[in-house]
Amino acid sequence: MARAEADAHIVGAALVGSSARGTEDDWSDIDLALQLAPGADEPTVVEDWSRAIDDLGATADTLDIVAAGARFRVFFLRSSLQIDLAFWPHDKFRATEPGFRILFGTPNDPTEPAPVDVARTIGMGWLYAIHARSAVARGKVWQADMMINDLRTTVATLKCIRTGLNPHHGREVDLLPAADLAQLEAARATSVIPEALDRSRVLLTRQFLDEIALHDRNRFERLREPFAELGRAVH
C-alpha cells in the first residue's frame, strides 16, 4: 500500500476480498486493486510491480487473468502465499463485489458481479452426466472420476444458487443446508472402481434432475425422459 501511494502511475487503490470484509484469516490471500493514472502504460507498470515483488526474493510463479477490463496478476510466493494485484484502467476502477475498501483515490460507480448462467450450468451438467456414463461403461475409471467430479460441482453450484449462496470456487458451498450436504456426501464414490463410480454417478444424476426441476420446470419436463436413461446403472 505504501508503494502504491508513492507510485506516480497509481492514483487509487483498494483492498478487495476477505481483508476488505473483515474475514481475513491465516489462509487468506492478499488482494489489492490499483487504479492506473490517465496515460500510464499498463504493461510497464505491471512489470515494475512484478520486479518489486520479485526483488524481495518471494515470487515462485505468476499468472495473468484478464477480467472486467482489468489485468489481475496473481503471484505465487515461495512461502505458498498468494497475492493478487489488479491493474485497472483509470476509467474502469470500481468495486465489482461487496468486499471493496477504498484506501485512496476515487473509484467509478460500482457494478454487481454477473450472476451464474443457470441455463449454461444445466447444459454443461448433462454433458458431464453423459460422459460419466460412457466412461464408467467403458471401464475408463479415471475419466469417469473426473466427469463425476464435474457433475458433482454442477449439482453443488445449482444448490448454492437456489439457496442464495456464492458458488464461485466453492466459496460458500459449506454453508449449504445439512440436507443438501448430506445428499452430496451420500453420492461420493468410496473407491475408484466401476461399481462405486457408477453408484455415485447414478445418485448425482438423479440429484441433478431434482435441481433442474427447482430451477427450470419446462426444461425439467424435457429432460425427464433422457435422464431416465442416464440414471440407469451400467454396473
Side-chain angles (χ1 to χ4, degrees), residues 1-4 24 38 43 72 77 92 102 107 110 113 137 161 166 182 208 216 221:
M1 291 186 290
R3 189 181 195 283
E24 191 174 26
F72 295 77
L77 305 191
K92 293 184 178 181
I102 193 71
I161 296 169
N166 183 359
F208 180 37
D216 188 335
E221 293 296 341

Side-chain angles (χ1 to χ4, degrees), residues 98 113 115-116 118 155-168 170-177 180 211 214-215:
V116 177
V118 172
V155 173
T157 296
L158 292 177
K159 287 179 179 293
C160 284
I161 296 169
R162 172 171 51 81
T163 53
L165 297 172
N166 183 359
H168 185 62
R171 284 179 181 172
E172 293 184 340
V173 68
D174 287 275
L175 301 179
L176 281 169
D180 288 299
E211 287 298 322
L214 297 171
H215 285 272

Side-chain angles (χ1 to χ4, degrees), residues 118-119 122-123 126 212 216-223:
V118 172
I122 291 172
W126 54 251
I212 294 171
D216 188 335
R217 192 70 193 183
N218 289 333
R219 207 165 182 183
F220 164 76
E221 293 296 341
R222 298 198 306 271
L223 290 171

Side-chain angles (χ1 to χ4, degrees), residues 117-219:
D117 187 336
V118 172
R120 177 175 170 79
T121 300
I122 291 172
M124 292 302 299
W126 54 251
L127 275 178
Y128 297 139
I130 291 170
H131 290 295
R133 179 183 63 176
S134 60
V136 170
R138 292 166 178 157
K140 300 171 71 172
V141 295
W142 289 109
Q143 182 191 20
D145 186 59
M146 291 177 67
M147 292 298 99
I148 289 167
N149 286 337
D150 287 335
L151 178 57
R152 181 182 300 105
T153 298
T154 302
V155 173
T157 296
L158 292 177
K159 287 179 179 293
C160 284
I161 296 169
R162 172 171 51 81
T163 53
L165 297 172
N166 183 359
H168 185 62
H169 289 176
R171 284 179 181 172
E172 293 184 340
V173 68
D174 287 275
L175 301 179
L176 281 169
D180 288 299
L181 291 175
Q183 282 188 334
L184 293 173
E185 183 177 2
R188 290 195 64 85
T190 55
S191 60
V192 187
I193 60 173
E195 293 77 12
L197 291 169
D198 200 34
R199 175 187 172 278
S200 173
R201 178 193 67 80
V202 167
L203 289 174
L204 283 171
T205 300
R206 293 171 182 172
Q207 290 178 27
F208 180 37
L209 185 61
D210 290 341
E211 287 298 322
I212 294 171
L214 297 171
H215 285 272
D216 188 335
R217 192 70 193 183
N218 289 333
R219 207 165 182 183

Side-chain angles (χ1 to χ4, degrees), residues 35-107:
Q35 182 184 28
L36 298 175
D41 184 64
E42 186 252 32
T44 299
V45 176
V46 172
E47 293 311 314
D48 285 347
W49 276 77
S50 297
R51 280 194 297 272
I53 293 178
D54 200 42
D55 284 345
L56 301 173
T59 305
D61 204 2
T62 62
L63 169 69
D64 277 6
I65 300 171
V66 177
R71 186 197 321 207
F72 295 77
R73 176 152 290 186
V74 185
F75 296 84
F76 182 34
L77 305 191
R78 291 187 176 91
S79 66
S80 79
L81 177 68
Q82 174 185 334
I83 297 177
D84 297 344
L85 295 183
F87 296 88
W88 286 88
H90 185 269
D91 60 348
K92 293 184 178 181
F93 179 62
R94 67 193 188 278
T96 58
E97 60 176 79
F100 186 89
R101 179 158 63 87
I102 193 71
L103 300 172
F104 64 89
T106 304

